[in-house]
Amino acid sequence: MDDVARRAGVSVSTVSHVLNGTRKVNESTRERVETAITEIGYRRNVVARSLAAGRTHTVGLSISAFTNPYFGSLVHTIEAMLSDAGLVMFLGDSHDDVASERRVVDSLLDRQVDGIIVAPAAGAERNTIPAITATGTPLVLIDRALDVACDQVGPENEESARHLTEHLLELGHRRIAVVRGIDGISSSVERYAGYERALRDRGLEIDPDLVLDGASSVDVAEREVLAVMSRSPRPTAIVTMNNSMTIGSLKALRGLGLSIPGDVALVCYDDFEWSDLFEPRLTASAQDVVTLGSTAVDMLLERIGGYTGEPRRIHVPTTFHHRNSCGCTPA
């Protein structure tokens, strides 16, 4: 700033006012300062300013960002909201593994981010979350719930999965396979509970052969569906519990030459932006990604701003999109 001031023939305080907009500066003076900044390639020392202010104006996000299209949309929403608030987002991919998640979180804490949003991996309540809360860094959990004292926002899982399964039951299906997600994740547990409740409400027993562990993975879901559809009697319907497993299931059915819904009906939890381009079009419960992301950001910004109220837990409803992969006319 001294160099800029000397070149522009002004005081250091005038340079500061131009840079920070803290006082009106004569237009010709402003132009001299901006020209000097360009000529010498000056950039503000954000690190020094952050140390002085006690804020870095950054937020960390730990999420399994690249394994599920839904998470990609969630990342985009969160980044856009933070950018509008004047904050920069650091993104770390946890790969849905608690050891990887801990490395990501430690790196974010080392950078002294102002707050952290986490889509927790299985086991995070014993590892990652205590590391964050020990530092006092504001924290919001997104998508998956944990039995910990912090703000949390996630989709409505159990009732949405129950409704999908109930829809298949109303169409006359009784052998309904479910492709469930990663073991130990609250969303997997809650969605499977919805499937189970729909069957038990109809007086039907759970057939273990129809419960497929898809591990929230395209490849694992494909393998599981290939296996169950190659046995006899095979299921007449399938409900998948996230986007990745829907893709895997579609690949398996296509590989076997089976038609949807002619040979097997299919409904899915999670929707795709391009679902209407499929044939058949997918009947799905769609998560409200914009509300999930914006709610998480709003809660985190409140905590960063000093809010000290009791931890909040918010469930965001899903929307049922009735198309024709279930075997009936779209409504």
Side-chain angles (χ1 to χ4, degrees), residues 30-324:
R30 174 182 294 277
E31 289 177 358
R32 291 206 313 276
V33 171
E34 290 175 346
T35 298
I37 288 171
T38 301
E39 289 174 348
I40 69 173
Y42 169 77
R43 297 186 67 84
R44 286 178 288 184
N45 189 331
V46 176
V47 175
R49 292 186 67 199
S50 297
L51 289 171
R55 286 276 306 276
T56 61
H57 300 282
T58 61
V59 164
L61 173 61
S62 173
I63 197 168
S64 185
F66 307 114
T67 59
N68 187 329
Y70 155 72
F71 280 131
S73 299
L74 195 57
V75 169
H76 174 77
T77 299
I78 291 171
E79 192 282 328
M81 291 284 299
L82 291 171
S83 180
D84 288 345
L87 302 174
V88 173
M89 184 183 80
F90 290 146
L91 171 64
D93 193 335
S94 69
H95 303 285
D96 266 328
D97 172 74
V98 73
S100 298
E101 180 181 77
R102 179 59 187 268
R103 287 193 292 271
V104 166
V105 164
D106 284 344
S107 179
L108 295 172
L109 292 173
D110 288 345
R111 284 163 174 75
Q112 298 185 15
V113 293
D114 294 333
I116 296 180
I117 298 173
V118 177
E125 68 278 11
R126 299 184 301 274
N127 190 322
T128 309
I129 305 308
I132 299 172
T133 55
T135 67
T137 302
L139 167 67
V140 173
L141 301 186
I142 193 166
D143 187 68
R144 292 111 175 234
L146 293 177
D147 187 18
V148 295
C150 68
D151 292 330
Q152 306 183 40
V153 57
E156 204 300 305
N157 287 309
E158 183 172 343
E159 183 60 27
S160 300
R162 186 205 63 79
H163 179 64
L164 285 169
T165 310
E166 183 67 28
H167 182 62
L168 294 173
L169 290 165
E170 288 171 353
L171 295 175
H173 295 283
R174 293 298 179 266
R175 288 189 57 78
I176 302 172
V178 59
V179 189
R180 61 183 182 182
I182 296 173
D183 187 39
I185 297 292
S186 66
S187 54
S188 298
V189 173
E190 291 165 3
R191 292 172 199 176
Y192 177 69
Y195 162 85
E196 197 173 48
R197 182 156 64 91
L199 293 180
R200 295 203 188 282
D201 285 350
R202 291 293 182 104
L204 300 174
E205 292 298 319
I206 307 302
D207 184 345
D209 289 340
L210 298 180
V211 178
L212 313 180
D213 288 317
S216 300
S217 161
V218 173
D219 294 339
V220 177
E222 180 181 9
R223 184 171 67 244
E224 290 289 308
V225 173
L226 279 171
V228 77
M229 295 305 293
S230 299
R231 296 195 295 265
S232 182
R234 65 190 184 198
T236 62
I238 299 173
V239 53
T240 61
M241 294 304 185
N242 79 4
N243 277 340
S244 295
M245 296 185 296
T246 299
I247 294 170
S249 300
L250 289 169
K251 290 177 66 178
L253 297 174
R254 177 175 159 183
L256 291 169
L258 298 175
S259 69
I260 306 169
D263 294 313
V264 60
L266 178 72
V267 298
C268 46
Y269 188 104
D270 272 2
D271 203 12
F272 298 90
E273 184 179 354
W274 24 270
S275 285
D276 283 337
L277 301 180
F278 281 124
E279 186 53 48
R281 297 160 63 220
L282 296 176
T283 294
S285 284
Q287 300 187 65
D288 186 346
V289 175
V290 172
T291 299
L292 285 166
S294 60
T295 301
V297 171
D298 286 343
M299 289 197 294
L300 189 68
L301 293 180
E302 288 175 357
R303 292 293 180 185
I304 291 172
Y307 176 72
T308 58
E310 290 296 312
R312 299 157 290 182
R313 184 171 293 194
I314 297 174
H315 291 95
V316 178
T318 62
T319 302
F320 181 64
H321 291 299
H322 188 192
R323 302 186 181 108
N324 61 342

Side-chain angles (χ1 to χ4, degrees), residues 1-12 15 28-29 31-42:
M1 288 178 68
D2 285 338
D3 294 338
V4 171
R6 280 193 294 271
R7 182 173 290 250
V10 299
S11 67
V12 172
V15 175
S28 62
T29 302
E31 289 177 358
R32 291 206 313 276
V33 171
E34 290 175 346
T35 298
I37 288 171
T38 301
E39 289 174 348
I40 69 173
Y42 169 77

